[in-house]
Amino acid sequence: MNIFFRLALTSLLLLSAAVGAAEIDMPAEIRAEAEILRGERDGYWEKVLVVRFPEARRTLSTSDGLLDARAAMNHAGHPQLWHKLGSEFMGRNGRGGKAYAEHVHLETASRLQLDTSALARMATAADLDNLAVVTRRHGPLTVTVLATAGAKSNAIRTGLDAGTYIEDEAPAGTINIVLLTNIRLTDAALARALITVTEGKTAALEDLKVTSTYTPAVQATGTGTDSIIAVSGTEGPTASYTGGHSRIGELIGKATYAAVVEALGKQNGFFLPGARRFPAAAEAPAKAPDALRLALLHLDAVPGDIAGNRARIEAAIQEAVSQGADWVVTPELAETGYNFASRIGTGWIAPFPDAWISTLAAIARDNRVALFVGFAERDASSGKLYNSVAVIDRNGTLLGAYRKQRVHGGAESWSTAGGGGAPFVVDGIPVGILICADTYQPEPAAAYRAQGAAILLAPSNWPPVDGMGPGDLWEQRSAETGLPLIVANRTGREPELDFSAGESVVAAGGQRRFAFSTGQSRLFYVDWDRRQGFSLPRR
């Protein structure tokens, strides 16, 4: 590294301030300590998994080769941090991302008071909060695998997809695996373990049906930047072979498979078929053979409580499924609450579709229910933010997102106006989506009618207060288009607005057929037969 580059690197990459560490439970017989060091660099999170050994361990690393390691590390940086620093140094020597990773390796070795040759390394953009730790045992044998995994942006099928670089690439999607055993492994066994780990990882990708990012019609085998660190134990007996026919190989494969499945569920929302199926519930009210049951979630969303709102939505979907719902419709911005940006900002909004939207897709697939969910969207290409509704069919297929066209200032100043679009086809029915104020004027609804929509859904945050109430706009839109308009409104109070008297509505033929209101979160159900119209479910 030349002097100019070293000075530039040092000036930009100051030591990140460690703000805490989290210890990880490890099996006693593995004789290793593991923790996650947490810090921040240039305003973005940075985390390092460190696994330490009481003595030097024979280790095979796909980044370092064979070494006698006293520790292993998996460095995780925020995706935007990789982009920022990779771009900063790419023009200097063509190795931006790699230079950043090398700096963190040196920095971590110094913190651990180790030479870099005693610290096996790998790096990722996956969040270490989504780390999976899996242990498998049989008799005197113990295997522990620690895995981080991301496979949305960089999944490939080896042998088919093209390679585009030689030395450097930011690890946008990476499956990183640390393999630990309690028994001694020969160098040959360490090398064979890489094959067994890879087979376990690829089996997980196959069962999760993860496809190639570059050739979406084919199954992915990895991400192209995957890394493995295999560490020998210190106890007898010594294994010279770790293939799948050996007991130690069986444990390695099973632990790897389980860890990769768990990590991809946490990071990307990828789940095995049936993993998100809700338990069977009491018999639901009967419905006509040709009717669809719509569940309208009249939600009291808490502004800024993302985790809480997501949990409330998932619980409501479970209840709706137990009542025989075919479609579940949430209010506008159900994930975030309306006035969220002033509380938590927008930097947390991940590129669409994020892990939670993918989790909803698994829920839709496993429970055979279509979902229409209001959320805050970041466009993966432009970075622009939108007030959107995700549409997911019963097969778990993410059909896309509708973006609100008529956005307000103030609470919605963070969002960009969308441009409309075509109906989404769900259960063979063309569905037009409008969000709240999109029903102010007749044009958006009329555009859907012209494109063959059969029904309009309008997730809303519409408080009936002076100057803001809907009046008869919903009835007008249904009369003009001849289409039923279903409004899933919200309830509850935010300091800025009182939604508690808001109504969810079924409007058809210019009339308000049903209206539902409550001061607390609740699901309302309506059955729709395209020939017979709307009715309320009866037990």
Side-chain angles (χ1 to χ4, degrees):
M1 184 183 297
N2 62 51
I3 294 176
F4 173 80
F5 181 73
R6 184 184 297 116
L7 289 174
L9 183 67
T10 304
S11 66
L12 180 64
L13 300 181
L14 300 176
L15 287 178
S16 61
V19 297
E23 293 187 0
I24 298 166
D25 288 336
M26 298 288 287
E29 63 269 31
I30 291 291
R31 298 181 61 245
E33 296 180 351
E35 64 179 346
I36 297 174
L37 306 177
R38 303 176 187 276
E40 183 178 292
R41 194 189 301 268
D42 290 0
Y44 297 101
W45 59 257
E46 189 176 51
K47 305 168 188 178
V48 181
L49 168 67
V50 175
V51 184
R52 286 183 263 200
F53 319 120
E55 67 283 299
R57 302 265 179 100
R58 194 64 168 163
T59 298
L60 180 57
S61 162
T62 54
S63 296
D64 308 289
L66 277 168
L67 65 162
D68 295 315
R70 289 296 305 272
M73 62 172 283
N74 184 10
H75 157 226
H78 189 286
Q80 291 301 314
L81 184 60
W82 280 104
H83 177 75
K84 179 179 186 296
L85 298 182
S87 298
E88 177 72 19
F89 290 101
M90 189 60 72
R92 300 240 170 102
N93 68 351
R95 302 169 61 251
K98 193 165 186 177
Y100 167 45
E102 289 173 350
H103 173 80
V104 176
H105 182 219
L106 178 63
E107 178 182 284
T108 306
S110 175
R111 183 179 298 170
L112 299 178
Q113 298 182 317
L114 295 174
D115 188 275
T116 54
S117 63
L119 177 60
R121 58 179 167 157
M122 51 190 175
T124 181
D127 193 335
L128 273 166
D129 285 352
N130 296 325
L131 176 73
V133 182
V134 174
T135 296
R136 293 289 183 266
R137 294 180 174 91
H138 185 273
L141 308 178
T142 300
V143 167
T144 295
V145 168
L146 302 93
T148 54
K152 274 199 170 180
S153 60
N154 195 25
I156 69 166
R157 182 173 183 85
T158 299
L160 176 65
D161 292 331
T164 56
Y165 69 93
I166 297 175
E167 270 296 309
D168 189 76
E169 179 82 352
T174 297
I175 300 175
N176 280 355
I177 294 168
V178 178
L179 165 67
L180 306 170
T181 66
N182 67 322
I183 67 168
R184 289 186 297 271
L185 304 180
T186 65
D187 288 354
L190 286 170
R192 185 58 179 82
L194 300 190
I195 297 177
T196 305
V197 167
T198 300
E199 289 173 342
K201 172 198 71 178
T202 302
L205 291 170
E206 181 179 12
D207 287 354
L208 288 167
K209 296 179 171 51
V210 177
T211 59
S212 167
T213 303
Y214 309 97
T215 314
V218 302
Q219 174 69 51
T221 56
T223 75
T225 53
D226 298 344
S227 294
I228 305 170
I229 297 173
V231 184
S232 172
T234 58
E235 305 296 326
T238 298
S240 60
Y241 174 70
T242 50
H245 289 300
S246 67
R247 185 67 73 180
I248 189 70
E250 174 195 342
L251 298 180
I252 290 170
K254 287 181 175 178
T256 298
Y257 177 93
V260 171
V261 167
E262 180 183 339
L264 284 172
K266 291 178 174 178
Q267 178 71 28
N268 290 151
F270 295 154
F271 295 94
L272 294 174
R276 297 311 305 265
R277 183 176 296 123
F278 297 132
E283 185 177 353
K287 63 184 174 186
D290 295 329
L292 285 174
R293 179 157 296 160
L294 281 60
L296 310 181
L297 176 55
H298 207 70
L299 179 68
D300 181 2
V302 178
D305 182 14
I306 306 303
N309 291 331
R310 288 174 174 176
R312 295 176 191 102
I313 293 166
E314 291 184 32
I317 296 169
Q318 180 172 356
E319 179 184 333
V321 167
S322 75
Q323 296 300 303
D326 299 293
W327 296 1
V328 179
V329 189
T330 80
E332 172 187 13
L333 295 176
E335 176 198 31
T336 61
Y338 191 60
N339 289 279
F340 76 92
S342 61
R343 291 168 169 82
I344 61 172
T346 59
W348 61 273
I349 302 173
F352 174 78
D354 65 7
W356 184 61
I357 295 295
S358 295
T359 298
L360 292 180
I363 290 172
R365 174 199 67 197
D366 288 349
N367 297 282
R368 301 295 298 165
V369 62
L371 304 176
F372 305 83
V373 180
F375 74 110
E377 177 192 359
R378 183 184 299 274
D379 183 87
S381 299
S382 68
K384 292 181 178 179
L385 303 177
Y386 296 91
N387 178 344
S388 299
V389 170
V391 181
I392 306 170
D393 71 13
R394 293 179 196 251
N395 296 319
T397 303
L398 183 59
L399 299 181
Y402 169 79
R403 297 165 172 175
K404 186 174 184 178
Q405 299 179 53
R406 188 185 179 102
V407 299
H408 294 287
E412 294 182 51
S413 60
W414 56 272
S415 63
T416 303
F424 297 93
V425 179
V426 181
D427 289 334
I429 300 169
V431 181
I433 307 294
L434 302 168
I435 298 178
C436 201
D438 290 341
T439 59
Y440 277 178
Q441 300 297 327
E443 288 79 12
Y448 278 129
R449 180 68 181 89
Q451 296 179 81
I455 190 172
L456 302 175
L457 302 182
S460 299
N461 276 343
W462 209 328
V465 296
D466 291 342
M468 298 182 68
D472 64 351
L473 290 179
W474 298 330
E475 292 87 342
Q476 287 185 42
R477 300 295 87 87
S478 73
E480 294 159 357
T481 61
L483 303 177
L485 173 65
I486 314 300
V487 179
N489 207 353
R490 64 159 293 175
T491 188
R493 291 180 173 86
E494 297 183 5
E496 298 86 353
L497 285 171
D498 183 355
F499 299 93
S500 59
E503 290 183 318
S504 291
V505 166
V506 176
Q511 298 181 4
R512 187 170 296 203
R513 301 298 176 88
F514 301 105
F516 311 100
S517 184
T518 177
Q520 298 178 331
S521 294
R522 182 179 169 185
L523 283 158
F524 295 106
Y525 301 93
V526 61
D527 290 349
W528 179 43
D529 185 310
R530 295 179 68 177
R531 293 171 300 178
Q532 302 296 324
F534 292 91
S535 61
L536 299 181
R538 294 181 179 179
R539 290 195 176 275

